[in-house]
Amino acid sequence: MLRALAVDDEPPSLEELLYLLDADPRVSSVEGASDATTALRRINRALDSGPGGDEGIDVVFLDIHMPGLDGLDMARLLAGFAKPPLVVFVTAHEGFAVQAFDLKAVDYVLKPVRRERLAEAVRRAVEQMDAAPLIPVHEPDPDHISVELGGVTRFVAVEDITHVEAQGDYARLHTDQGSHLVRIPLSTLEERWRSRGFVRIHRRHLVALGHISELRLDAGTVSVLVDSVELQVSRRHARELRDLLMRRTAS
């Protein structure tokens, strides 16, 4: 018996998916979420309760195009969990199938969802329920951070990170080669990397001092240029940032 979570930002699609899953005898319970952030918080509760806990989630039926975190981003985050739920993509777009299966998706169901096709996805999820759990990856050293990319764990050097952007309970790491989403709050990274030259400039941004190329003042507002990206500096952080940059320049 599967405990399911359906995630879709369109109410009619979510209601239809919940109805079909609830009618399947192999699904013992099903809940809905209208965005990835809400879904991730629900999954975190499931993980905290343990695999046999009352709040457990076995499989997530996941839309791809959603505001904020999309379905592929969410699947990448789940792949980094110690024991993630299974993922079935349910989407109106055919073009993401290769990426979905690279992320070890159980199935890829196209909208409009047919009862028979969804039943096949449930069958496949049931078959995989007893699969061996993923082994959690621990950080190899303080100079790197592990990220999930296309189902593969990679280690990004902290010195290559130009800035970090808060996205709810998660953080997006920006480098010259692209960005990566990790399941770590910005406040945790701020504490961890303060000694490595990272400084908070805004409630949403953490910046590596060594990657700041310009400090801009314009009509009372302060911003910095970080490898061609302009980021606003909040008033509460402006004085500290200017002092740090002056000391860095003088040393």
Side-chain angles (χ1 to χ4, degrees):
M1 297 291 285
L2 294 176
R3 296 164 296 180
L5 175 66
V7 188
D8 197 314
D9 66 305
E10 298 179 356
S13 296
L14 181 58
E15 290 174 9
E16 176 70 8
L17 187 54
L18 290 172
Y19 172 78
L20 293 175
L21 288 170
D22 188 54
D24 193 306
R26 295 163 297 184
V27 178
S28 62
S29 65
V30 59
E31 300 176 41
S34 59
D35 59 78
T37 300
T38 301
L40 286 166
R41 287 173 179 162
R42 175 63 185 87
I43 293 167
N44 280 332
R45 292 208 317 270
L47 294 177
D48 289 342
S49 72
D54 294 336
E55 302 219 49
I57 297 292
D58 301 312
V59 58
V60 180
F61 291 83
L62 182 58
D63 188 21
I64 288 182
H65 280 295
M66 296 185 292
L69 295 179
D70 65 23
L72 293 173
D73 281 335
M74 180 174 168
R76 292 186 186 102
L77 283 171
L78 292 178
F81 287 17
K83 190 175 181 181
L86 302 173
V87 172
V88 173
F89 285 103
V90 183
T91 177
H93 304 275
E94 298 183 12
F96 297 98
V98 173
Q99 292 171 265
F101 287 114
D102 282 345
L103 290 168
K104 313 301 183 187
V106 172
D107 207 344
Y108 193 88
V109 180
L110 290 175
K111 297 178 182 178
V113 179
R114 293 183 293 109
R115 184 187 299 270
E116 298 78 8
R117 183 64 184 86
L118 187 63
E120 172 62 15
V122 171
R123 183 191 67 78
R124 294 181 181 183
V126 170
E127 285 187 350
Q128 291 196 28
M129 275 291 293
D130 294 328
L134 296 178
I135 299 174
V137 177
H138 300 285
E139 304 301 339
D141 59 61
D143 296 327
H144 296 80
I145 183 169
S146 63
V147 301
E148 289 291 327
L149 185 61
V152 177
T153 300
R154 298 185 179 179
F155 301 102
V156 175
V158 175
E159 65 181 15
D160 292 337
I161 298 170
T162 60
H163 62 287
V164 186
E165 179 183 3
Q167 293 192 346
D169 296 329
Y170 300 80
R172 185 172 292 278
L173 313 176
H174 292 269
T175 72
D176 290 339
Q177 305 302 316
S179 66
H180 311 280
L181 202 61
V182 294
R183 188 191 171 205
I184 306 175
L186 191 67
S187 57
T188 299
L189 293 178
E190 178 185 11
E191 180 67 26
R192 183 184 299 179
W193 291 346
R194 182 177 291 118
S195 62
R196 305 182 67 91
F198 282 79
V199 60
R200 190 75 162 259
I201 65 167
H202 190 274
R203 63 182 177 83
R204 291 192 58 207
H205 290 113
L206 187 66
V207 171
L209 288 174
H211 287 277
I212 296 177
S213 56
E214 291 183 15
L215 177 67
R216 297 177 174 180
L217 304 176
D218 182 19
T221 64
V222 182
S223 63
V224 291
L225 195 65
V226 182
D227 287 1
S228 78
V229 177
E230 186 173 5
L231 301 173
Q232 294 298 313
V233 181
S234 66
R235 290 185 178 181
R236 62 175 295 195
H237 294 103
R239 181 183 295 274
E240 178 188 8
L241 177 63
R242 291 176 64 180
D243 290 346
L244 287 170
L245 288 173
M246 289 179 64
R247 289 202 296 269
R248 188 180 182 89
T249 303
S251 61

